[in-house]
């Protein structure tokens, strides 16, 4: 199996729990601690050359995400945190079971409360304190409302899917050569129940909508 790109600086070496999966194109530098059962996606950059970066149990940090922080700071994603494609986390704390949407930016000293959702492309200004179970959106971001039960259940299912992806990647993901043509009866992934929230709402009349 290919190994992730891991670099020591000033004698500080990243730590990756053996039960976690870090893609070979991801880069980990210095004071990075990846806890058990985490997933770190392709081209993610966890640059712990100033502050400490911590992923607690079951976190996923998806492709092209960036984590960094000022000296003396800890940038933390708490247990079951879910960081969507292209998000940037800088010197902040993401609470347990919270979700940061695609291309969102979370600035210094932000505290995202437990089980909150930061919408895609939101800009969360420095020092903002996000209450638990809140939906946050906009530029600059504002608390929009409390999350519905349906949204909370969808978030939990999505995170479980990424925790399963950790196991799938450890067991089967290998570098290989591309095929030159599509095979007859090409296989598809069988992941029942994994769908966008908008599709789930269509199936549930009267469900809460933004």
């Amino acid at each position: 199996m290919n190994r992730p790109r891991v670099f020591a600086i000033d004698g500080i070496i990243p730590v990756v729990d053996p039960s976690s999966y870090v893609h070979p194109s991801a880069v980990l530098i210095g004071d990075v601690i990846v806890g058990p059962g985490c997933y770190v996606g392709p081209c993610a950059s966890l640059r712990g050359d100033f502050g400490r970066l911590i992923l607690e149990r079951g976190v996923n940090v998806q492709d092209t995400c960036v984590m960094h922080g000022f000296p003396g700071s800890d940038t933390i994603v708490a247990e079951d945190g879910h960081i969507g494609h292209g998000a940037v986390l800088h010197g902040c704390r993401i609470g347990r079971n919270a979700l940061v949407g695609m291309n969102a930016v979370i600035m210094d000293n932000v505290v995202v409360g437990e089980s909150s959702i930061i919408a895609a492309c939101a800009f969360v200004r420095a020092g903002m304190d996000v209450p638990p179970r809140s939906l946050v959106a906009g530029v600059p971001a504002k608390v929009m409302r409390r999350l519905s039960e349906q949204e909370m259940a969808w978030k939990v299912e999505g995170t479980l899917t990424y925790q399963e992806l950790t196991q799938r990647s450890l067991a089967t993901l290998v570098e290989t050569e591309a095929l030159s043509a599509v095979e007859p009866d090409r296989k598809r992934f069988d992941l029942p129940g994994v769908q966008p929230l908008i599709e789930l709402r269509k199936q549930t009349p009267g469900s809460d909508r933004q």
Side-chain angles (χ1 to χ4, degrees), residues 3-7 21-29 39-46 61-65:
R3 297 181 179 274
R5 302 181 67 192
V6 175
F7 300 87
Y21 177 79
V22 180
H23 191 273
S25 66
V27 177
L28 278 57
I29 298 172
Y39 174 87
V40 179
C43 299
S45 175
L46 281 64
V61 174
Q62 298 171 22
D63 31 311
T64 74
C65 289

Side-chain angles (χ1 to χ4, degrees), residues 3 33 40 55 58 68 79 85 88 94 108-109 129-130 161 165 189 191-192:
R3 297 181 179 274
I33 302 170
V40 179
L55 306 185
H68 195 241
E79 184 174 355
H85 318 290
V88 177
I94 309 302
D108 299 279
N109 299 333
D129 193 352
V130 175
T161 300
L165 179 59
F189 295 111
L191 300 171

Side-chain angles (χ1 to χ4, degrees), residues 29-154:
I29 298 172
D31 198 0
V32 178
I33 302 170
V34 178
C38 294
Y39 174 87
V40 179
C43 299
S45 175
L46 281 64
R47 190 158 67 83
D49 49 11
F50 289 175
R52 177 169 294 176
L53 314 180
I54 301 172
L55 306 185
E56 296 185 356
R57 180 183 296 273
V59 164
N60 69 80
V61 174
Q62 298 171 22
D63 31 311
T64 74
C65 289
V66 174
M67 292 181 64
H68 195 241
F70 284 107
S73 70
D74 288 355
T75 304
I76 302 170
V77 184
E79 184 174 355
D80 294 334
H82 188 114
I83 311 302
H85 318 290
V88 177
L89 309 182
H90 203 281
C92 55
R93 179 181 175 87
I94 309 302
R96 184 182 179 278
N97 194 44
L99 181 151
V100 176
M102 293 180 272
N103 290 315
V105 177
I106 317 297
M107 291 298 293
D108 299 279
N109 299 333
V110 169
V111 177
V112 175
E114 180 173 347
S115 299
S116 287
I117 293 179
I118 309 298
C121 296
F123 177 81
V124 183
R125 66 189 184 280
M128 185 174 182
D129 193 352
V130 175
R133 199 172 165 173
S134 299
L135 174 65
V136 173
V139 180
K142 298 179 181 179
V143 176
M144 308 303 287
R145 57 173 172 79
R146 185 171 173 83
L147 291 168
S148 68
E149 294 294 336
Q150 183 185 55
E151 290 164 332
M152 290 304 310
W154 173 80

